Amino acid sequence: MRDDSSYPLKTVRDPMPAAVPTTVQNASPSDARYRDIERKFLDFAKAMAVGPVQRAAMKGGRFATTPEIDQPELFGTVDMAYSAHILGVLDEMVAGGSREEWIDLILSFQSEDGWFRARDKQGHGTVHATAYALGALQILGARQLQLKPFTGFQAEIAQAPDAKSAPFALSLLDRVHFWRGSHRAGGMAAIVAAVRDLGLSTESLLGIRDPQAWLDGWWRYFDERIDPATGYWRLSNPLLHWGFDLLYQKRHDPQLAAMGGAVHLYWVSEHLRKPVRHPAEIVTTTAALLPADGLYEREPYCIDLDGNFMIARSMRWLPANHTAGDVGREALRRNRDAVLSWFATRRAESWSPSSHKLPGAFAAVVEADKALSGASPWNDVFTRT
């Protein structure tokens, strides 16, 4: 659930048909690239740690999003929690310290109206920041939290959403630019699910007495509005979309942006165990977005998780022996190899200077691993969030 404005501009590349066989290095639990990336990540984390003693800063979760920042930031702290958990090095980072210190730091970013605010220069919205922070609290095993009531959230939601009644308002811009809008469309539901899953009272904190009923209504509203040709969302009229796509293609592939928006809702619907109604269309449309080098854009980041999640989770709903399964597996293999090789062939100081690009890239590998072989050397973040 990120603001895509901080991500690389589009480069023009000719996509390879997803079903064309390519030479792909097979990853396995013994693949040395996994261990190499884990070691490099710890070096990367040291560079992001804020404080006179790096080791102490790491133990307490005090991280910035970029190396030049001299104070802890919400997204730096949360990015490192997600990344360390996925790579299986969280205990090593915290060794001799306390997860409670890390949890308390995250809680310090909650405002009086309940929203978590990043207060950094990346322009993350409050909904995205709040959902992301709550996920990190789940990863860190937070219990018996004392959160402030989410009065800002309460003021924006409908009490009984359904197929015809929106759970909350979306601006015209959010409907046209759904990659942007999906941070709200999916993030609001993610907040409800996270508060519930943390064992907290959704009634006192969110003003929602029955969170499951509210989430079911949220999904009914958006499920009714899926584009069956792609499995993505188009929430404004075709003329507006045509004009937006014409302009936006100078920055990103508009279809790639539509995929990046769709996944924010499918993360939550998957958590709710809702069926995927258009699995073949999702798999083939998403796989066709993957260029020849195996990365959805110029370097790994959340968009690789988006693509792999859309393909891997939709493949579970395909009929046996459906041809889309072969298309999806090939795309997953190529992306996994490209992401692993990108990080393994670079020193940590040559990785992107933004910590926010790491969790999604690492999680993309896990999605591919589990779909292709049923297991991964790394942790599936969605089992905790």
Side-chain angles (χ1 to χ4, degrees), residues 32-89:
R33 291 178 294 179
Y34 291 92
R35 303 287 87 81
D36 181 51
I37 292 168
E38 291 162 19
R39 290 191 297 270
K40 289 176 178 177
F41 169 74
L42 292 172
D43 291 335
F44 182 92
K46 289 177 184 176
M48 297 294 186
V50 176
V53 182
Q54 283 183 326
R55 186 72 189 118
M58 290 173 67
K59 291 178 182 179
R62 298 192 295 277
F63 295 100
T65 53
T66 54
E68 72 275 8
I69 303 299
D70 61 359
Q71 59 183 353
E73 296 178 301
L74 175 63
F75 272 75
T77 296
V78 171
D79 289 336
M80 288 296 144
Y82 274 83
S83 297
H85 169 68
I86 293 166
L87 299 187
V89 298

Side-chain angles (χ1 to χ4, degrees), residues 143-199:
R143 292 291 181 270
Q144 298 179 331
L145 290 171
Q146 298 297 315
L147 291 174
K148 299 168 186 173
F150 292 73
T151 55
F153 177 94
Q154 293 178 32
E156 297 184 18
I157 62 166
Q159 282 299 314
D162 58 31
K164 294 183 179 180
S165 301
F168 39 76
L170 285 175
S171 69
L172 179 60
L173 178 58
D174 283 345
R175 289 175 174 275
V176 176
H177 183 5
F178 195 61
W179 198 359
R180 168 194 167 106
S182 67
H183 293 81
R184 178 173 174 81
M188 296 286 275
I191 290 168
V192 177
V195 170
R196 178 194 65 181
D197 294 349
L198 283 163

Side-chain angles (χ1 to χ4, degrees), residues 94-114:
V94 179
S98 169
R99 292 193 183 200
E100 292 302 321
E101 184 178 355
W102 205 324
I103 290 167
D104 288 343
L105 177 59
I106 293 172
L107 293 176
S108 73
F109 289 93
Q110 190 185 22
S111 302
E112 289 303 315
D113 60 3

Side-chain angles (χ1 to χ4, degrees), residues 288-301:
L289 296 170
L290 186 66
D293 66 2
L295 294 176
Y296 282 93
E297 293 209 286
R298 292 182 298 185
E299 60 183 288
Y301 72 107

Side-chain angles (χ1 to χ4, degrees), residues 195-262:
V195 170
R196 178 194 65 181
D197 294 349
L198 283 163
L200 303 173
S201 169
T202 58
E203 184 171 12
S204 61
L205 292 175
L206 304 175
I208 295 175
R209 178 173 297 179
D210 186 340
Q212 188 60 53
W214 192 93
L215 289 165
D216 287 342
W218 164 84
W219 180 242
R220 281 195 294 273
Y221 179 82
F222 285 104
D223 189 40
E224 285 286 320
R225 290 158 179 79
I226 295 174
D227 176 6
T230 61
Y232 303 165
W233 277 268
R234 291 286 191 172
L235 295 183
S236 65
N237 71 60
L239 183 59
L240 279 175
H241 270 299
W242 177 83
F244 173 79
D245 290 354
L246 187 65
L247 296 173
Y248 193 68
Q249 64 185 344
K250 297 178 181 180
R251 182 178 183 84
H252 286 288
D253 180 338
Q255 190 77 310
L256 186 72
M259 184 272 286

